[in-house]
Amino acid sequence: TILAVAAVLWIYITAAEIVNVILSFGVMFELGKVSLGITILAIGIGFQDLVSNIGVARAGYPNMAAAACVGSPMLNFLLGIGFSAIFGNIFVANPYPLRLTLQLMVCIVFLLSSVVLCLVFMIWNKFRGDFSLGVLLCSCYFVFMAFAIAADMTQSAYGIRY
């Protein structure tokens, strides 16, 4: 049990330092916390999933790779926000103060619309993940990043910083 506590402590300390480094990038490049989360933090977390899912698909298990592409973000979304809300309410404030910013709205709208767009495309394409699906989804991501960063620049131009 002492080793488990030590492992959790090391993970906590490492995560705190990673957050501090990311926040220093935000100060250097004048980016808000939401922009840091959807760029540096998300790319850092998602890159390992990308590499492993490509490996699984190349090994001949495309359904497993597709399920992992859906399952991993779902776990992060549901448990990440769920546990944050639970522990935020216990240790910080009740209710936990989550500000609905323009950037967060952009994230939610793009998340929902990309899921619907992907589902419609897959039904239309008889559930075949061909090259055009890849182009569509990558294009959606780049459009999302452009809108999210533009929303951050708009908010910072008005002196709003989250």
Side-chain angles (χ1 to χ4, degrees), residues 1-10:
T1 59
I2 293 174
L3 291 177
V5 170
V8 169
L9 188 61
W10 272 106

Side-chain angles (χ1 to χ4, degrees), residues 2-134:
I2 293 174
L3 291 177
V5 170
V8 169
L9 188 61
W10 272 106
I11 291 170
Y12 176 78
I13 291 169
T14 304
E17 286 305 312
I18 289 171
V19 168
N20 289 333
V21 169
I22 291 172
L23 288 173
S24 66
F25 279 121
V27 171
M28 287 189 308
F29 298 114
E30 298 180 4
L31 291 173
K33 291 179 182 86
V34 176
S35 286
L36 293 171
I38 62 174
T39 55
I40 298 171
L41 191 59
I43 290 169
I45 291 169
F47 192 71
Q48 63 189 7
D49 285 343
L50 173 68
V51 171
S52 63
N53 290 340
I54 289 172
V56 168
R58 284 183 149 186
Y61 303 105
N63 285 344
M64 185 186 295
C69 287
V70 173
S72 179
M74 188 180 303
L75 178 127
N76 287 332
F77 183 73
L78 297 176
L79 293 183
I81 293 178
F83 282 127
S84 295
I86 290 169
F87 292 118
N89 280 295
I90 291 172
F91 296 115
V92 179
N94 188 5
Y96 188 67
L98 182 63
R99 294 179 192 93
L100 188 59
T101 63
L102 177 62
Q103 282 183 302
L104 211 47
M105 286 299 294
V106 168
C107 291
I108 292 168
V109 167
F110 267 92
L111 176 65
L112 294 174
S113 61
S114 64
V115 168
V116 169
L117 181 65
C118 183
L119 182 62
V120 168
F121 184 86
M122 290 296 284
I123 291 170
W124 177 69
N125 208 23
K126 298 178 181 142
F127 285 91
R128 288 177 296 164
D130 57 4
F131 184 80
S132 58
L133 175 65

